[in-house]
Amino acid sequence: MAAALKFGISGLRGIAGESLTDDVVQKHVDAFIGVLEPKKVILGRDTRGSGPHIREVVIERLREHGCEIIDIGIVATPTVQFMTRHMGADGSIAVTASHNPPEYNGLKFFDSQGLYLNEMQVSEMKDRMEQGTLPEGGKKEDSLLTQLDVANEAHVERVMNHIDFKVIQNSGLKVVIDPVGGAGTMADPILMRELGIDATIIHGEPSAEFPRGTEPLPENLKILGEAVKKHGADVGFAQDPDADRLALVDENGNAIGEEYTLAFCTDYMLSKQDNPKGMEIATNLSTSRMMDDVANKHGANLIRTKIGEMHVANAIMETDALIGGEGNGGVIWPVVGFGRDSFAGMSIILEYMATSGKKISELVATLPKYEIVRTKVEIASLNEVPAILDRVKEVYKDQEMDTTEGVKVIFDNGWLHARASNTEPIVRFFAEGPTREQAQAWIDKVL
Ligand code: MG
């Protein structure tokens, strides 16, 4: 059975040629045009086998609407987002299914700031598709298609403008990178060359069939861990296929978990400020409590948003935050762009290592240790959600709570977050505590 098509604030996703048909792609592009009315559109893709065909379908639709299209080729999603602002485009589309397996593909839609479309824009797209109020084409003769092959260089150059690259160049740090044969294969060598780092890149050829599990989770990073040990490297970097997420492997070959990426980058960036007190940083409700510890250490103000890159990125833009992102290895550094950016992440981590002289395992030891437990409960319909959330509120009625999205219960040494999925009939329960047992116990009490 074909996996169902998903469309929401993180874009469109389905199995190419099955749920994700040409017709589906066309309709979504039409709806995007209807909502943003863009004249100039940036287009990029990851390395999936279905990418070239879907690119053709997207270009055909954009031409039909008379758009000026700048096709930047195989690039990371944050590169599409960066180039949108850099080139003054009105919007952009990344052809990618992010961390999903190779048979999937999809479209990520961005506005002129490189931000994911917001909830209102996404629901307007859905309304237009349902009601058939899609803009008419027929403007092909007005359209213009340009191929641009310097997007990866331009993105790296922007990162270099904000990094203390001299300290990295002089560090002698050894690095292994695993871009899983995805879009990171294009910019990783450029970034490492510019940073003066002698890097080994495994799974470094663009691949339609990703050579390891696509999410940069510890269970998928064993080969990277082995390579770090074999090469005597100081750090291993793992990306997902569209290179927005970044996970770290320490000098002993151990995958330390994605939550550390943003915590380290935030801690270091705050430590570089003359007066970090009161500075804004942002993350979502389900990201590790390490972010609270980092904020408290520097007197910074941590904003917690609803789940979804769009919410975090908007908070960063609105509050002029220093840095932010998601616990899944998504670092957003607004001087570079408003997208989760593994290249910004790698550069900040390397600068942190170079200036502190600390190994990754030593950086881990600078932060309190927590364990996160994640569970989901299937429900027959979304109508059941209020009763489930009410039960959480009742059980923990004496605790501090945040109801920005679902219910988050805050304890002295951890938290429990219950929320409905945006796309499936499930309720997610995430908990973080000093031990797995404690985190599990908080969840068990409401199930
Ligand atoms: Mg991704």
Side-chain angles (χ1 to χ4, degrees):
M1 203 180 83
L5 197 69
K6 287 185 189 177
F7 178 55
I9 54 165
S10 303
L12 171 70
R13 239 162 262 182
I15 294 185
E18 292 185 21
S19 52
L20 189 76
T21 60
D22 290 1
D23 186 51
V24 164
V25 170
Q26 285 167 5
K27 265 195 195 144
H28 283 79
V29 173
D30 287 351
F32 168 72
I33 300 286
V35 171
L36 274 198
E37 297 180 7
K39 291 189 176 61
K40 187 171 171 182
V41 177
I42 304 283
L43 175 65
R45 66 179 175 93
D46 69 16
T47 58
R48 285 162 208 273
S50 56
H53 174 71
I54 294 173
R55 167 189 172 275
E56 291 292 331
V57 176
V58 172
I59 285 177
E60 192 52 35
R61 279 329 283 170
L62 292 172
R63 296 200 64 182
E64 200 48 44
H65 294 290
C67 294
E68 179 189 351
I69 306 151
I70 300 170
D71 175 17
I72 59 174
I74 296 179
V75 293
T77 293
T79 306
V80 171
Q81 293 170 278
F82 163 74
M83 289 300 282
T84 311
R85 280 210 296 169
H86 188 60
M87 302 210 56
D90 306 301
S92 51
I93 299 176
V95 178
T96 176
S98 201
H99 57 270
N100 289 91
E103 63 274 21
Y104 283 76
N105 214 330
L107 304 174
K108 289 181 173 182
F109 298 102
F110 305 103
D111 70 7
S112 60
Q113 296 302 303
L115 292 166
Y116 278 84
L117 299 194
N118 63 35
E119 284 162 323
M120 267 169 54
Q121 291 167 318
V122 168
S123 81
E124 192 190 331
M125 279 180 67
K126 286 180 181 169
D127 289 347
R128 281 175 175 274
M129 287 186 281
E130 273 163 30
Q131 294 158 9
T133 51
L134 298 169
E136 286 186 29
K139 298 179 190 162
K140 211 164 180 172
E141 64 279 2
D142 299 334
S143 78
L144 186 69
L145 172 63
T146 314
Q147 313 272 355
L148 191 72
D149 63 2
V150 294
N152 289 300
E153 284 82 358
H155 186 185
V156 167
E157 188 184 335
R158 174 61 64 91
V159 173
M160 295 297 293
N161 287 342
H162 295 278
I163 275 288
D164 184 355
F165 57 87
K166 291 226 169 69
V167 74
I168 299 175
Q169 284 169 350
N170 295 329
S171 67
L173 286 168
K174 287 179 83 174
V175 173
V176 181
I177 311 181
D178 178 359
V180 65
T185 54
M186 309 304 284
D188 288 345
I190 304 169
L191 178 67
M192 290 300 131
R193 183 192 70 212
E194 293 299 310
L195 290 173
I197 292 282
D198 179 19
T200 302
I201 303 182
I202 62 166
H203 305 143
E205 290 299 318
S207 165
E209 300 295 325
F210 305 123
R212 64 156 163 84
T214 41
E215 278 201 89
L217 301 172
E219 60 265 34
N220 294 329
L221 305 184
K222 299 212 166 70
I223 300 171
L224 176 59
E226 288 303 318
V228 165
K229 282 194 283 186
K230 183 178 145 199
H231 294 279
D234 300 289
V235 61
F237 291 125
Q239 295 160 305
D240 75 330
D242 69 330
D244 50 1
R245 287 166 59 181
L246 174 70
L248 310 180
V249 166
D250 75 12
E251 71 282 4
N252 303 311
N254 301 316
I256 62 171
E258 288 177 298
E259 293 284 341
Y260 280 101
T261 311
L262 177 62
F264 287 162
C265 289
T266 306
D267 196 2
Y268 178 63
M269 289 309 298
L270 284 167
S271 76
K272 277 184 78 175
Q273 309 305 311
D274 292 334
N275 187 11
K277 235 184 192 81
M279 278 194 146
E280 311 284 352
I281 55 175
T283 192
N284 67 37
L285 286 164
S286 282
T287 291
S288 173
R289 212 183 134 80
M290 288 190 284
M291 286 295 282
D292 298 272
D293 298 321
V294 165
N296 292 338
K297 175 174 155 189
H298 299 283
N301 181 32
L302 175 63
I303 302 156
R304 290 272 186 180
T305 73
K306 292 169 77 173
I307 310 302
E309 176 179 324
M310 182 271 292
H311 294 293
V312 182
N314 271 297
I316 290 173
M317 190 160 81
E318 280 161 17
T319 64
D320 201 13
L322 176 69
I323 193 168
E326 297 180 338
N328 58 10
V331 177
I332 302 176
W333 196 21
V335 293
V336 174
F338 291 113
R340 294 173 298 174
D341 187 334
S342 61
F343 310 107
M346 286 191 279
S347 307
I348 296 171
I349 295 288
L350 288 172
E351 191 185 311
Y352 191 9
M353 294 176 75
T355 15
S356 68
K358 286 196 168 84
K359 298 174 194 295
I360 293 290
S361 65
E362 292 169 342
L363 293 180
V364 167
T366 64
L367 294 173
K369 191 162 166 47
Y370 299 109
E371 298 283 350
I372 296 185
V373 174
R374 299 180 174 92
T375 311
K376 59 185 173 188
V377 172
E378 287 184 30
I379 49 178
S381 103
L382 288 174
N383 297 333
E384 294 175 33
V385 172
I388 294 171
L389 297 183
D390 283 347
R391 175 160 164 74
V392 177
K393 287 183 196 164
E394 176 57 29
V395 167
Y396 290 111
K397 60 178 183 290
D398 297 329
Q399 298 292 333
E400 187 189 336
M401 276 182 213
D402 184 334
T403 54
T404 304
E405 183 180 17
V407 181
K408 182 174 178 181
V409 185
I410 298 160
F411 307 102
D412 288 341
N413 55 349
W415 50 267
L416 162 69
H417 187 203
R419 68 179 182 96
S421 160
N422 293 319
T423 47
E424 299 162 274
I426 55 176
V427 176
R428 297 184 195 282
F429 292 87
F430 292 2
E432 183 177 39
T435 61
R436 283 193 75 79
E437 291 69 31
Q438 176 62 79
Q440 188 66 53
W442 283 325
I443 294 177
D444 290 345
K445 210 169 161 188
V446 293
L447 291 187

